[in-house]
């Protein structure tokens, strides 16, 4: 299967599930995990309509006083991370994704401590940890330098048995894949 074919299949499978419900269930699982409970900084994403709804996660991070960082697209190949203190700060940016306005400064992720947890989106994943993104490479470039705790946010409907993997694609361990049913082990 090519990446293009896998993306098409993943989009079809995701379209068949209620991603609001899936996101709510994922949040419930996430909040019980030590990785969440010990995190003082959460790198997350504002979900698009075809992704598990992350609103519960973003609200809970702010309610618990965690530093919340969201990505902001700078170009076709670059993104930065911005600290958000209220969801009302978000506005439609590149590709219609809610993100911080240009007036807010970028956060230097090189200075993140051991208390950081990155929640990474995907279109699909394989149980052995291959992540399939949208094809822009934004998260692969970020993950090449990020060494903290991380979880791949993947609905069970988007777990595909075999995915193509290039040398630059960042892989995840099964215990780093968060679904609405729990962590893969």
């Amino acid at each position: 299967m090519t990446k293009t074919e896998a993306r098409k299949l993943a989009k079809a499978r995701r379209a068949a599930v209620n991603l609001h419900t899936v996101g709510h269930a994922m949040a419930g699982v996430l909040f019980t995990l030590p990785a969440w409970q010990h995190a003082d900084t959460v790198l997350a994403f504002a979900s698009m309509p075809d992704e598990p709804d992350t609103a519960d996660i973003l609200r809970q991070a702010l309610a618990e006083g965690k530093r919340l960082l969201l990505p902001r697209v700078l170009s076709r190949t670059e993104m930065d991370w911005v600290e958000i203190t209220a969801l009302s700060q978000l506005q439609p940016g590149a590709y219609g994704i809610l993100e911080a306005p240009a007036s807010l400064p970028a956060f230097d992720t090189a200075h993140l401590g051991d208390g950081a947890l990155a929640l990474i989106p995907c279109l699909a994943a394989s149980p052995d940890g291959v992540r399939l993104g949208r094809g822009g490479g934004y998260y692969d470039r970020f993950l090449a330098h990020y060494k903290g705790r991380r979880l791949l946010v993947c609905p069970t409907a988007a777990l595909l048995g075999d995915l193509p993997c290039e040398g630059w694609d960042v892989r995840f361990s099964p215990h780093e894949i968060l679904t609405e049913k729990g962590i893969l082990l």
Side-chain angles (χ1 to χ4, degrees):
M1 177 177 350
T2 67
K3 285 189 174 185
T4 300
E5 293 166 337
R7 286 186 180 99
K8 184 176 179 180
L9 175 60
K11 288 176 182 178
R13 291 182 68 177
R14 292 161 75 106
V17 298
N18 181 326
L19 292 169
H20 174 75
T21 302
V22 168
H24 183 73
M26 283 180 161
V29 170
L30 175 63
F31 300 153
T32 68
L33 299 177
W36 173 269
Q37 294 166 356
H38 299 302
D40 58 21
T41 301
V42 176
L43 295 86
F45 59 97
S47 54
M48 298 192 319
D50 67 343
E51 294 176 321
D53 190 342
T54 59
D56 289 347
I57 295 168
L58 303 182
R59 282 192 295 270
Q60 189 67 22
L62 292 172
E64 291 183 20
K66 297 178 188 295
R67 175 184 291 136
L68 179 60
L69 304 179
L70 296 182
R72 176 174 56 196
V73 174
L74 301 175
S75 71
R76 291 177 51 88
T77 60
E78 294 178 279
M79 70 178 186
D80 63 7
W81 292 89
V82 180
E83 182 174 357
I84 298 298
T85 57
L87 296 183
S88 61
Q89 294 175 296
L90 302 178
Q91 60 189 30
Y95 311 108
I97 302 168
L98 288 177
E99 59 184 38
S103 60
L104 290 179
F107 186 92
D108 185 357
T109 58
H111 293 75
L112 288 171
D114 293 339
L117 171 64
L119 304 175
I120 306 298
C122 67
L123 275 179
S126 65
D128 65 346
V130 175
R131 173 189 175 270
L132 181 68
R134 295 183 183 273
Y138 294 99
Y139 285 95
D140 286 319
R141 283 186 288 281
F142 164 69
L143 290 167
H145 302 286
Y146 176 76
K147 302 304 177 207
R149 287 176 294 188
R150 63 197 190 154
L151 290 172
L152 184 62
V153 177
C154 186
T156 55
L159 284 172
L160 305 179
D162 186 32
L163 289 175
C165 185
E166 307 292 338
W168 59 82
D169 291 330
V170 176
R171 296 180 72 117
F172 286 75
S173 301
H175 72 274
E176 294 177 316
I177 301 175
L178 172 69
T179 75
E180 69 276 21
K181 296 179 180 177
I183 295 289
L184 294 185
L185 296 176

Coordinates of all heavy atoms in Angstrom, one line a residue, residues 99-156:
E99 N -5.2 28.3 15.5 CA -3.8 28.4 16.1 C -3.7 29.8 16.7 O -4.6 30.6 16.6 CB -2.8 28.2 15.0 CG -2.9 29.1 13.8 CD -1.9 28.8 12.7 OE1 -1.6 27.7 12.4 OE2 -1.4 29.8 12.1
A100 N -2.6 30.0 17.3 CA -2.3 31.3 18.0 C -2.1 32.4 16.9 O -1.5 32.1 15.8 CB -1.1 31.2 18.9
P101 N -2.4 33.6 17.2 CA -2.2 34.7 16.3 C -0.7 35.0 16.2 O 0.1 34.7 17.1 CB -2.9 35.9 16.9 CG -3.1 35.6 18.3 CD -3.1 34.1 18.4
A102 N -0.3 35.6 15.1 CA 1.1 36.0 14.9 C 1.6 36.9 15.9 O 2.9 37.0 16.1 CB 1.2 36.6 13.5
S103 N 0.8 37.6 16.6 CA 1.2 38.6 17.7 C 1.8 37.9 18.9 O 2.5 38.5 19.7 CB 0.1 39.5 18.1 OG -1.0 38.7 18.6
L104 N 1.5 36.6 19.1 CA 2.0 35.9 20.3 C 3.4 35.3 19.9 O 3.6 34.8 18.8 CB 1.1 34.8 20.7 CG -0.2 35.2 21.3 CD1 -1.1 34.0 21.7 CD2 0.0 36.1 22.5
P105 N 4.3 35.4 20.9 CA 5.7 34.9 20.6 C 5.8 33.4 20.6 O 5.0 32.7 21.2 CB 6.5 35.5 21.8 CG 5.5 35.6 22.9 CD 4.2 35.9 22.2
A106 N 6.7 32.9 19.8 CA 7.0 31.5 19.7 C 7.7 31.1 21.0 O 8.4 31.8 21.7 CB 7.9 31.2 18.6
F107 N 7.4 29.8 21.4 CA 8.0 29.2 22.6 C 9.2 28.3 22.2 O 9.0 27.6 21.2 CB 7.0 28.4 23.3 CG 7.4 27.8 24.6 CD1 7.2 28.5 25.8 CD2 8.1 26.6 24.7 CE1 7.7 28.0 27.0 CE2 8.6 26.1 25.9 CZ 8.4 26.8 27.1
D108 N 10.3 28.5 22.8 CA 11.5 27.7 22.5 C 11.4 26.3 23.1 O 11.6 26.1 24.3 CB 12.7 28.4 22.9 CG 14.0 27.7 22.5 OD1 13.9 26.6 21.9 OD2 15.1 28.3 22.8
T109 N 11.0 25.3 22.3 CA 10.8 24.0 22.8 C 12.1 23.3 23.2 O 12.1 22.3 23.9 CB 10.1 23.1 21.8 OG1 10.8 23.1 20.6 CG2 8.6 23.6 21.6
A110 N 13.3 23.9 22.8 CA 14.5 23.3 23.3 C 14.7 23.4 24.8 O 15.5 22.7 25.3 CB 15.7 24.0 22.5
H111 N 13.9 24.3 25.4 CA 14.1 24.5 26.9 C 13.0 23.8 27.7 O 12.8 24.1 28.8 CB 14.0 26.0 27.2 CG 15.2 26.7 26.6 ND1 15.4 27.0 25.3 CD2 16.3 27.2 27.2 CE1 16.5 27.6 25.1 NE2 17.1 27.7 26.3
L112 N 12.3 22.8 27.1 CA 11.3 22.0 27.8 C 12.0 21.1 28.7 O 13.0 20.5 28.4 CB 10.4 21.2 26.8 CG 9.5 22.1 26.0 CD1 8.8 21.2 24.9 CD2 8.4 22.7 26.9
G113 N 11.5 21.0 29.9 CA 12.0 20.0 30.9 C 11.4 18.7 30.8 O 10.7 18.3 29.9
D114 N 11.6 17.9 31.9 CA 11.1 16.5 31.9 C 9.6 16.5 32.1 O 9.0 15.4 31.9 CB 11.8 15.8 33.1 CG 13.3 15.5 32.9 OD1 13.7 15.6 31.7 OD2 14.0 15.3 33.9
G115 N 9.0 17.6 32.4 CA 7.6 17.6 32.6 C 6.7 17.8 31.4 O 5.5 18.0 31.5
A116 N 7.3 17.7 30.2 CA 6.6 18.0 29.0 C 6.0 16.7 28.4 O 6.6 15.6 28.5 CB 7.5 18.6 27.9
L117 N 4.8 16.8 27.9 CA 4.2 15.7 27.2 C 3.6 16.2 25.9 O 2.9 17.2 25.8 CB 3.0 15.2 28.0 CG 2.1 14.2 27.3 CD1 2.8 12.9 27.0 CD2 0.8 13.9 28.2
A118 N 4.1 15.6 24.8 CA 3.6 16.0 23.4 C 2.5 15.0 22.9 O 2.7 13.8 23.0 CB 4.8 16.0 22.4
L119 N 1.4 15.6 22.5 CA 0.3 14.8 21.9 C 0.4 15.0 20.4 O 0.2 16.2 20.0 CB -1.0 15.2 22.5 CG -1.1 15.1 24.0 CD1 -2.5 15.7 24.5 CD2 -1.0 13.7 24.5
I120 N 0.6 14.0 19.7 CA 0.9 14.1 18.2 C -0.2 13.6 17.4 O -0.7 12.4 17.6 CB 2.2 13.4 17.9 CG1 3.4 13.8 18.8 CG2 2.6 13.5 16.4 CD1 3.8 15.3 18.7
P121 N -0.7 14.3 16.4 CA -1.8 13.8 15.6 C -1.3 12.9 14.5 O -0.1 12.9 14.2 CB -2.4 15.1 15.0 CG -1.2 16.0 14.9 CD -0.4 15.7 16.1
C122 N -2.2 12.2 13.9 CA -1.9 11.3 12.8 C -3.2 11.1 12.0 O -4.3 11.2 12.5 CB -1.3 10.0 13.2 SG -2.4 8.9 14.1
L123 N -3.0 10.7 10.7 CA -4.2 10.2 10.0 C -4.4 8.7 10.3 O -5.5 8.3 10.3 CB -3.9 10.4 8.5 CG -4.3 11.7 7.8 CD1 -4.0 11.7 6.4 CD2 -5.7 12.1 8.1
A124 N -3.3 8.0 10.5 CA -3.4 6.6 10.8 C -2.0 6.2 11.4 O -1.1 6.9 11.4 CB -3.6 5.8 9.5
A125 N -2.1 5.0 12.0 CA -0.9 4.4 12.6 C -1.0 2.9 12.5 O -2.1 2.4 12.4 CB -0.7 4.8 14.1
S126 N 0.1 2.3 12.5 CA 0.1 0.8 12.6 C 0.4 0.4 14.0 O 1.0 1.2 14.8 CB 1.2 0.2 11.7 OG 2.5 0.6 12.1
P127 N -0.1 -0.8 14.4 CA 0.2 -1.2 15.8 C 1.7 -1.3 16.2 O 2.0 -1.2 17.4 CB -0.5 -2.6 15.9 CG -1.5 -2.5 14.8 CD -0.9 -1.7 13.7
D128 N 2.5 -1.4 15.2 CA 4.0 -1.4 15.5 C 4.6 0.0 15.5 O 5.8 0.1 15.6 CB 4.7 -2.4 14.6 CG 4.7 -1.9 13.1 OD1 3.9 -1.0 12.8 OD2 5.5 -2.5 12.3
G129 N 3.8 1.0 15.4 CA 4.3 2.4 15.6 C 4.6 3.2 14.5 O 5.1 4.3 14.6
V130 N 4.2 2.8 13.3 CA 4.4 3.7 12.1 C 3.3 4.7 12.1 O 2.2 4.4 12.2 CB 4.4 2.9 10.8 CG1 4.5 3.8 9.6 CG2 5.6 1.9 10.8
R131 N 3.7 6.0 12.0 CA 2.8 7.1 12.0 C 2.6 7.6 10.6 O 3.6 7.8 9.9 CB 3.3 8.2 12.9 CG 2.4 9.5 12.8 CD 3.1 10.7 13.5 NE 2.3 11.9 13.3 CZ 2.5 12.7 12.3 NH1 3.5 12.5 11.4 NH2 1.8 13.8 12.1
L132 N 1.4 7.8 10.2 CA 1.1 8.3 8.9 C 0.4 9.7 9.1 O -0.7 9.8 9.7 CB 0.1 7.4 8.1 CG -0.2 7.9 6.7 CD1 1.0 7.9 5.7 CD2 -1.4 7.1 6.1
G133 N 1.1 10.7 8.7 CA 0.6 12.1 8.8 C -0.1 12.5 7.5 O -0.4 11.7 6.6
R134 N -0.2 13.8 7.4 CA -0.9 14.4 6.2 C 0.1 14.6 5.0 O -0.3 15.0 4.0 CB -1.6 15.7 6.6 CG -2.7 15.5 7.5 CD -3.5 16.7 7.9 NE -4.5 16.5 8.9 CZ -5.7 16.1 8.6 NH1 -6.1 15.9 7.3 NH2 -6.6 15.8 9.6
G135 N 1.4 14.5 5.3 CA 2.3 14.6 4.2 C 3.2 15.8 4.2 O 4.1 16.0 3.4
G136 N 3.0 16.7 5.2 CA 3.8 17.9 5.2 C 5.1 17.8 6.0 O 6.0 18.6 5.8
G137 N 5.2 16.8 6.8 CA 6.5 16.5 7.5 C 6.7 17.4 8.7 O 7.7 17.4 9.4
Y138 N 5.7 18.3 9.1 CA 5.8 19.2 10.2 C 6.2 18.4 11.5 O 7.1 18.8 12.2 CB 4.5 20.0 10.5 CG 4.1 20.9 9.4 CD1 3.2 20.6 8.4 CD2 4.7 22.2 9.3 CE1 2.8 21.5 7.4 CE2 4.3 23.1 8.3 CZ 3.4 22.7 7.4 OH 3.0 23.6 6.4
Y139 N 5.4 17.4 11.8 CA 5.7 16.7 13.1 C 6.9 15.8 13.0 O 7.6 15.6 14.0 CB 4.4 15.9 13.5 CG 3.3 16.8 14.0 CD1 2.3 17.3 13.2 CD2 3.3 17.2 15.4 CE1 1.3 18.1 13.7 CE2 2.4 18.1 15.9 CZ 1.4 18.5 15.0 OH 0.4 19.4 15.5
D140 N 7.2 15.3 11.9 CA 8.5 14.5 11.8 C 9.7 15.4 12.1 O 10.6 15.0 12.8 CB 8.6 13.8 10.4 CG 7.6 12.7 10.2 OD1 7.5 11.9 11.1 OD2 7.1 12.6 9.1
R141 N 9.7 16.6 11.5 CA 10.8 17.5 11.8 C 10.8 17.9 13.3 O 11.9 18.0 13.9 CB 10.7 18.7 10.9 CG 11.1 18.5 9.5 CD 11.1 19.7 8.6 NE 9.8 20.2 8.3 CZ 9.0 19.7 7.3 NH1 9.5 18.7 6.6 NH2 7.9 20.2 7.1
F142 N 9.7 18.1 13.9 CA 9.6 18.5 15.3 C 10.1 17.3 16.1 O 11.0 17.4 17.0 CB 8.2 18.9 15.7 CG 8.0 18.9 17.2 CD1 8.7 19.8 18.0 CD2 7.3 17.9 17.8 CE1 8.5 19.8 19.4 CE2 7.1 17.9 19.2 CZ 7.7 18.8 20.0
L143 N 9.6 16.1 15.9 CA 10.0 14.9 16.7 C 11.4 14.5 16.5 O 12.0 13.8 17.4 CB 9.0 13.8 16.3 CG 7.6 13.9 16.8 CD1 6.7 12.9 16.1 CD2 7.5 13.9 18.3
A144 N 12.1 14.9 15.4 CA 13.5 14.6 15.2 C 14.3 15.2 16.3 O 15.4 14.7 16.6 CB 14.0 15.0 13.9
H145 N 13.8 16.3 16.9 CA 14.6 17.0 18.0 C 14.0 16.9 19.3 O 14.7 17.2 20.3 CB 14.8 18.5 17.6 CG 15.4 18.7 16.2 ND1 16.8 18.5 16.1 CD2 14.9 19.0 15.0 CE1 17.1 18.7 14.8 NE2 16.0 19.0 14.1
Y146 N 12.7 16.6 19.4 CA 12.0 16.5 20.7 C 12.3 15.1 21.4 O 12.1 14.1 20.8 CB 10.5 16.6 20.5 CG 9.7 16.5 21.8 CD1 9.6 17.5 22.7 CD2 9.0 15.3 22.0 CE1 8.9 17.4 23.9 CE2 8.2 15.2 23.2 CZ 8.2 16.2 24.1 OH 7.5 16.0 25.2
K147 N 12.8 15.2 22.6 CA 13.2 13.9 23.3 C 12.3 13.6 24.5 O 12.6 12.7 25.3 CB 14.6 14.0 23.7 CG 15.6 14.2 22.5 CD 15.4 13.2 21.5 CE 16.4 13.5 20.3 NZ 15.9 13.0 19.0
G148 N 11.2 14.4 24.7 CA 10.4 14.2 25.9 C 9.4 13.1 25.7 O 9.3 12.4 24.7
R149 N 8.5 13.0 26.7 CA 7.4 12.1 26.6 C 6.4 12.5 25.5 O 6.2 13.7 25.2 CB 6.6 12.0 27.9 CG 7.4 11.3 29.0 CD 6.7 11.3 30.3 NE 6.7 12.7 30.7 CZ 6.3 13.1 31.9 NH1 5.8 12.3 32.8 NH2 6.3 14.4 32.2
R150 N 5.8 11.5 24.8 CA 5.0 11.7 23.7 C 3.9 10.6 23.6 O 4.2 9.5 24.0 CB 5.8 11.9 22.4 CG 6.5 10.5 22.1 CD 7.6 10.7 21.1 NE 8.0 9.3 20.8 CZ 8.5 9.0 19.6 NH1 8.8 9.9 18.7 NH2 8.9 7.8 19.4
L151 N 2.8 11.0 23.0 CA 1.7 10.1 22.7 C 1.2 10.4 21.4 O 0.9 11.5 21.0 CB 0.6 10.1 23.8 CG 0.9 9.6 25.2 CD1 -0.2 10.0 26.1 CD2 1.2 8.1 25.2
L152 N 1.0 9.3 20.6 CA 0.4 9.5 19.3 C -1.1 9.3 19.4 O -1.6 8.3 20.0 CB 0.9 8.4 18.3 CG 0.5 8.4 16.9 CD1 0.9 9.7 16.2 CD2 1.1 7.3 16.1
V153 N -1.9 10.3 19.0 CA -3.4 10.3 19.2 C -4.0 9.7 17.9 O -4.0 10.3 16.9 CB -3.8 11.8 19.4 CG1 -5.4 11.8 19.5 CG2 -3.2 12.4 20.6
C154 N -4.5 8.4 18.1 CA -5.0 7.7 17.0 C -6.2 6.9 17.3 O -6.2 6.0 18.1 CB -3.9 6.7 16.5 SG -4.3 5.8 15.0
P155 N -7.4 7.2 16.7 CA -8.6 6.4 16.9 C -8.4 5.0 16.4 O -7.6 4.7 15.5 CB -9.7 7.2 16.1 CG -8.9 8.1 15.2 CD -7.6 8.3 15.7
T156 N -9.0 4.1 17.1 CA -8.9 2.7 16.7 C -9.3 2.4 15.3 O -8.7 1.6 14.6 CB -9.7 1.7 17.6 OG1 -11.0 2.1 17.6 CG2 -9.1 1.7 19.0

